Amino acid sequence: DCPPLSSGLESQSMQPKPFHVLPQPTRGLAALTIAVGLFTALDGCAATNDNALRIGDSTITRDGVNYALHVPSNAASLHGPFGLLVVFGGYGDSKDYYQKGLAPMADDLDLVLVVPQMPWFADPGKVEATGVYKSLKGLRQEIENQFATDPHLAIVSGASAGGPSAWQLARRWAD
């Protein structure tokens, strides 16, 4: 399991512990070794948890489709229900661009934001649009189950080349 991202002092005794003083030239190397080890361990933890739905910004993969996801921080409480906002970006865009730009609005409006990586992005997705629609159906259900989103409040939007995809998904979800 990955360690929590905290100082760890909350559970430790504040009693001073004996330590060994290293010679001056060795101190920097020891600090560097500890820092590299810590970042490597945390990096491994981030990679292990990348596919989990969680509060805040994350990148997940479902059915071969990469998604940028933003879940408002108040989704951890019994606040809900939340709406779902799916955004299809335009030609040459990136999923991260929309995630960063729309996250504050999603927080204000209690929306879970989902941005699929499409084949026309600067870093092209590997799944064609019809595969993305199928993947989104399962992801939508997963988000509804975990974050109590309203199944009748799904907003679909598209910019430029993403417009036709938004229209297609809206037609599929119009129940």
Side-chain angles (χ1 to χ4, degrees), residues 11-131:
S11 62
Q12 294 181 3
S13 165
M14 295 304 287
Q15 298 295 321
K17 297 185 186 212
F19 61 93
H20 175 69
V21 177
L22 296 171
Q24 187 68 26
T26 313
R27 287 186 201 165
L29 181 59
L32 177 63
T33 303
I34 291 169
V36 168
L38 176 63
F39 288 121
T40 303
L42 290 177
D43 185 46
C45 289
T48 331
N49 292 332
D50 272 352
N51 245 1
L53 296 181
R54 60 179 180 255
I55 305 294
D57 292 337
S58 60
T59 301
I60 61 170
T61 303
R62 297 293 184 273
D63 305 312
V65 181
N66 294 323
Y67 293 95
L69 187 69
H70 177 80
V71 179
S73 60
N74 58 355
S77 66
L78 296 175
H79 175 67
F82 291 86
L84 179 66
L85 172 60
V86 179
V87 177
F88 292 96
Y91 182 80
D93 286 342
S94 76
K95 61 187 181 356
D96 302 323
Y97 170 79
Y98 289 97
Q99 181 187 45
K100 287 180 178 84
L102 296 175
M105 179 196 70
D107 285 338
D108 290 344
L109 298 175
D110 292 337
L111 298 171
V112 174
L113 172 66
V114 176
V115 185
Q117 184 174 6
M118 300 304 290
W120 54 81
F121 278 8
D123 179 17
K126 295 173 180 31
V127 178
E128 291 300 319
T130 54

